[in-house]
Amino acid sequence: MNVLSDNFAMFREGFVGTVELTALSALLALVVGVLIAAFRVSPVPALRIFGGTWVTLLLNTPLVLLFLAVTLGLPALGLKGWDSFWLAVMALGGYTSAFVCEAVRSGINAVPVGQAEAARSVGMTFTQTLGQIVLPQATRTAVPPLGSLMIALAKNTAIASSFNVTELGSVQKTLNADSGYNIFVIFLWIGICYVIITFAISGLFRLLENRLAVSR
């Protein structure tokens, strides 16, 4: 208990940092992921090519490499002044968006084709059909895999500690370097913090899944 009580402020700051990083990255991933999924099923060839390229590149790029590309590449292009926290959000959100896209696209493909055809037959545009008919139904199928992706995102935030971002991983690095505490006890408390976060995410998506299941 001494590890937690003696360094409670540090643990609290790291915990809050991880929650904020997870929440903002998840928001970015969901927005971009749904948009790219719409591109991938769009009738416009250029949008389908862009969406396919986005997913292919990010699915086959290691997350650490993407962090390096964002933190070192943007300043090299003249885009300086970005806080390391927001660079981490960009890297995590962009990386996860590719997985979100595929989860949403799978949900879209699970919607019977007749639904879209019926919408088009009454004069609805592609955007109207996707937003009002297809996506609401696809969401029910996509919620479980999206929950797993958000849990994976929360654990991936640990990589941000190597890029000067304050979160739980940075707490572990600081305590290991500057204290005489037992390393296994440090990892135990860090692990408990991650369990709390992932359990909260799991509970949120389980609640969402149950609410959507009732409305079927």
Side-chain angles (χ1 to χ4, degrees):
M1 288 297 295
N2 288 344
V3 174
L4 181 62
S5 59
D6 294 348
N7 304 279
F8 183 77
M10 186 185 300
F11 272 95
R12 180 183 59 197
E13 186 178 5
F15 184 87
V16 171
T18 297
V19 171
E20 291 178 344
L21 185 57
T22 300
L24 292 172
S25 300
L27 179 61
L28 177 62
L30 289 171
V31 171
V32 175
V34 171
L35 181 61
I36 297 299
F39 285 178
R40 296 210 67 187
V41 298
S42 169
V44 181
L47 292 180
R48 291 200 304 271
I49 293 173
F50 179 85
T53 302
W54 179 278
V55 170
T56 301
L57 287 176
L58 291 177
L59 288 183
N60 293 283
T61 301
L63 181 54
V64 174
L65 182 60
L66 187 58
F67 262 96
L68 290 171
V70 170
T71 56
L72 300 179
L74 291 182
L77 294 174
L79 301 175
K80 301 179 180 180
W82 285 83
D83 184 79
S84 58
F85 177 85
W86 292 106
L87 290 176
V89 169
M90 292 172 59
L92 287 165
Y95 178 78
T96 308
S97 70
F99 296 89
V100 170
C101 169
E102 291 303 274
V104 173
R105 191 167 69 94
S106 296
I108 292 174
N109 290 335
V111 177
V113 178
Q115 297 281 334
E117 292 177 345
R120 286 195 295 268
S121 69
V122 296
M124 296 181 70
T125 65
F126 169 77
T127 303
Q128 291 173 327
T129 301
L130 186 65
Q132 300 178 28
I133 305 297
V134 178
L135 276 181
Q137 299 180 69
T139 301
R140 296 171 181 147
T141 304
V143 165
L146 286 177
S148 299
L149 289 175
M150 295 305 108
I151 290 174
L153 170 60
K155 293 184 286 187
N156 284 339
T157 58
I159 297 177
S161 64
S162 300
F163 297 87
N164 300 319
V165 178
T166 300
E167 45 80 57
L168 288 170
S170 64
V171 173
Q172 174 264 318
K173 290 175 60 178
T174 301
L175 291 179
N176 283 347
D178 300 335
S179 69
Y181 296 114
N182 188 310
I183 187 174
F184 295 106
V185 177
I186 296 173
F187 276 115
L188 174 63
W189 284 113
I190 295 294
I192 290 174
C193 290
Y194 276 113
V195 167
I196 292 172
I197 294 172
T198 55
F199 265 53
I201 295 173
S202 178
L204 176 63
F205 275 85
R206 190 177 298 113
L207 176 64
L208 181 59
E209 185 178 356
N210 290 337
R211 287 179 63 86
L212 290 174
V214 170
S215 62
R216 289 189 180 189

